[in-house]
Amino acid sequence: MIKQKFCLALDLKEDETLIREYKKLHENVWPEIIDSIKNSGITVLDIYCTGNRLFMIIEADAGFTFEKKSAMDENNAKVQEWETLMWKFQQALPWAKPNEKWILMDKIFEIPQ
């Protein structure tokens, strides 16, 4: 099976209390959010944090697209509620477009085989 891998970045607001609360919420992500992730074709989704910078690594099946995921999310009230809550903690990267959160990163290096 063909897998896709994506890496994305986003910043949290520079506030230790908010960062702790954000991490705490991610210890018990709502089941509807987990279901929406899996139903989109994502098989692995990891988020890492250093300071206020977040990195998300996604592995997905061949049929996954961000456009499909976005369309699914727009029609899911629970996902919209989660995303609204997350904006309390998150801030867009300086080069993000309006209303753009997670920014897809470009791969610049891979160990040669």
Side-chain angles (χ1 to χ4, degrees):
M1 176 185 272
I2 297 172
K3 290 262 186 179
Q4 303 180 79
K5 186 181 230 177
F6 305 97
C7 297
L8 300 98
L10 175 69
D11 283 349
L12 294 173
K13 293 178 180 171
E14 194 75 56
D15 179 309
E16 284 302 317
T17 302
L18 287 177
I19 291 171
R20 276 194 304 277
E21 189 177 344
Y22 183 86
K23 289 178 180 180
K24 188 77 175 158
L25 283 167
H26 281 79
E27 291 174 10
N28 196 13
V29 174
W30 302 344
E32 299 89 348
I33 304 309
I34 301 297
D35 289 344
S36 76
I37 291 167
K38 290 179 178 179
N39 292 338
S40 73
I42 294 173
T43 56
V44 175
L45 189 152
D46 298 324
I47 298 175
Y48 294 84
C49 182
T50 181
N52 74 318
R53 175 93 8 120
L54 300 175
F55 292 100
M56 180 189 296
I57 300 171
I58 292 174
E59 291 181 19
D61 62 31
F64 172 83
T65 67
F66 285 103
E67 294 78 18
K68 180 175 109 178
K69 174 76 169 107
S70 211
M72 290 173 65
D73 290 350
E74 286 175 18
N75 296 308
N76 185 322
K78 206 63 174 172
V79 170
Q80 292 306 309
E81 183 182 349
W82 177 263
E83 291 301 327
T84 299
L85 174 60
M86 292 302 101
W87 263 126
K88 172 184 174 184
F89 310 98
Q90 300 167 335
Q91 62 182 4
L93 294 172
W95 50 90
K97 297 174 185 143
N99 298 316
E100 188 174 41
K101 291 172 86 170
W102 289 95
I103 303 291
L104 190 59
M105 299 171 73
D106 295 325
K107 183 181 201 177
I108 63 166
F109 176 77
E110 180 176 291
I111 296 174
Q113 299 298 320

